[in-house]
Amino acid sequence: KERNFDNHDDCEQNGLGQKSFDSVEEVVRKRVIRTRKSKRREQRTRSAFIFAGLLSLACNAALLVLVISPFNEVVDKSNDLFLETQDLVDDIDSNIHTIAASRENATRIVQSNVFDIVSFCPNITESEPLESELAGLTETVSVEFHEVDDSIKKRLNRVNNTFIRVQDGMNRIQQAIDTASEYLWLGPAFIVATSFTVTFALFGVGMAMKENMQPCHQRGMTYLVLPLLISVFVACCATAVAASVGVMVTGDACVGYGSPDRVILAALEMKNFSKSSDEYLFAESYTGGCTTAEPTEALWELRNTVESTIATIWYHMSNVDSVGREKLSQQCGKDITVLVEGARDLANILTNVRKVLTDTTETLRCDEIHPLYVKAVQDTLCTDVASGAAWTFMMFFF
């Protein structure tokens, strides 16, 4: 510009002075405009970064309140629910073992005593009362007991097989709860690390806005904070994708397929469980709000059969006592005390079996199990877990 002024006369003589001067002013003006636009862009960028950083900090706080704390409560509730269910399963397992031991004792009594009236009493044809009373007792012991014992064995085997699968599922649930509890600290740790990273980035942006950024600070922002921000971005994207999958799965299981009840029954059908199997009948009743047939009806019928056998044994023993043991022993030709005492022991054992069957039936009633299902599936999975996954997706998306 000075050179243009110094050569003003020469330029005017050549007709170029004013034109060159105007072009220089135009260049300067454009550079000033570009500089102002660049500063405005930088200001907008920094403002947007500050807004995003503050939003990230707010989302971290919301994650602690809406996701992490409720998830801790879900884990605690799941532990309590698991322990409650495990106590129930242990009670059923204990009852099954008790009945099995009682069956062994009863079988030992029957096999150790001669309950065949023909082989036991050599004088059976000489006394009608002897035949009618002892024959009824020995027939009850030798015939009806074996029928009842076979029914108990078959029914308990089916119940035991069902609860073996239940126990296997409980073990897997326990492993999942233990794993979740073990890595539960990762959520708060990630939130704290993200908050520190965003805070450092906001500090750097503030220094840049004041134009007070030192070279060492610039290198720290470039080689430390920026890579951390990129890592946080990638982690947030991955978590948001995982949470979206969780939202879709829980939504499909709890709402999209109709209800979690249908999902459970469909899963059993996929595992080739027929609709008449114990597993399917138990699941259908427990998940359906007890609207179908009570799944313990077969156990209750078995309990009634055992009770009927007990009543028959005591009836015949009463008849034996009414006739008189000494008289029957003389007419039998052999002391019948061992037979009567064996029948009494058998009746006592069957009484214990009846009590255990009654306890098992009451424990497995639908109105006892259905509340556990509601807590585990509808309250925990379809409410707490689903809402937690939805909040996680929204917070990490932002």
Side-chain angles (χ1 to χ4, degrees), residues 97-398:
H97 284 84
T98 300
I99 294 176
S102 298
R103 286 184 55 247
E104 291 180 1
N105 294 332
T107 302
R108 191 179 301 113
I109 290 175
V110 173
Q111 292 177 350
S112 63
N113 294 281
V114 180
F115 287 100
D116 185 356
I117 189 63
V118 176
S119 60
F120 188 79
C121 293
N123 301 329
I124 186 174
T125 59
E126 298 180 0
S127 176
E128 290 297 330
L130 177 66
E131 180 182 357
S132 61
E133 304 306 334
L134 283 185
L137 179 60
T138 55
E139 182 181 356
T140 300
V141 172
S142 60
V143 178
E144 291 191 22
F145 168 75
H146 289 294
E147 293 177 355
V148 171
D149 184 62
D150 289 339
S151 299
I152 293 174
K153 180 180 179 181
K154 292 178 181 179
R155 175 53 54 183
L156 288 186
N157 284 338
R158 296 177 64 176
V159 174
N160 188 47
N161 292 334
T162 300
F163 276 87
I164 286 176
R165 296 186 178 94
V166 172
Q167 186 63 55
D168 182 63
M170 295 292 295
N171 293 334
R172 295 182 182 181
I173 293 174
Q174 181 61 42
Q175 292 177 358
I177 294 175
D178 293 341
T179 302
S181 301
E182 182 179 356
Y183 294 100
L184 194 61
W185 61 272
L186 289 177
F190 178 76
I191 291 176
V192 171
T194 303
S195 300
F196 273 113
T197 302
V198 173
T199 302
F200 283 128
L202 291 175
F203 176 75
V205 173
M207 293 183 64
M209 292 180 68
K210 293 182 178 181
E211 298 182 354
N212 193 24
M213 181 74 74
Q214 300 296 328
C216 61
H217 296 157
Q218 293 179 354
R219 287 192 294 271
M221 292 292 295
T222 302
Y223 297 110
L224 179 61
V225 178
L226 183 59
L228 287 177
L229 285 175
I230 295 174
S231 301
V232 168
F233 171 76
V234 173
C236 288
C237 290
T239 306
V241 171
S244 66
V245 174
V247 171
M248 289 186 291
V249 171
T250 54
D252 184 63
C254 298
V255 180
Y257 200 78
S259 66
D261 315 342
R262 295 184 180 180
V263 175
I264 293 174
L265 296 180
L268 289 177
E269 290 180 359
M270 291 178 62
K271 291 291 184 178
N272 298 323
F273 288 101
S274 65
K275 293 185 177 181
S276 60
S277 63
D278 289 340
E279 291 82 358
Y280 191 94
L281 293 176
F282 276 104
E284 185 180 27
S285 179
Y286 293 156
T287 61
C290 306
T291 56
T292 59
E294 182 67 43
T296 57
E297 285 184 357
L299 283 175
W300 190 255
E301 291 176 358
L302 179 61
R303 179 257 181 204
N304 291 336
T305 302
V306 173
E307 185 175 26
S308 175
T309 302
I310 296 171
T312 303
I313 292 175
W314 285 113
Y315 170 76
H316 288 294
M317 289 182 62
S318 176
N319 291 337
V320 168
D321 290 336
S322 65
V323 174
R325 296 187 187 182
E326 293 183 1
K327 180 179 179 180
L328 290 176
S329 296
Q330 292 175 358
Q331 294 175 351
C332 175
K334 189 176 183 180
D335 188 6
I336 65 170
T337 301
V338 62
L339 188 150
V340 175
E341 294 298 328
R344 177 180 286 107
D345 293 339
L346 181 63
N348 291 331
I349 291 175
L350 290 179
T351 300
N352 183 49
V353 171
R354 183 196 61 189
K355 292 179 180 178
V356 176
L357 284 174
T358 302
D359 180 64
T360 303
T361 304
E362 292 295 326
T363 303
L364 292 177
R365 283 175 52 191
C366 182
D367 54 3
E368 295 290 336
I369 305 297
H370 181 66
L372 298 177
Y373 166 77
V374 172
K375 291 180 183 178
V377 177
Q378 297 182 2
D379 293 345
T380 301
L381 178 62
C382 292
T383 302
D384 297 333
V385 175
S387 62
W391 280 114
T392 301
F393 169 74
M394 287 189 291
M395 294 301 102
F396 277 100
F397 178 79
F398 288 126

Side-chain angles (χ1 to χ4, degrees), residues 38-52:
S38 177
K39 288 184 177 181
R40 284 197 295 268
R41 282 195 300 270
E42 291 179 358
Q43 189 69 22
R44 288 195 297 269
T45 302
R46 291 167 181 170
S47 299
F49 192 88
I50 292 174
F51 174 76

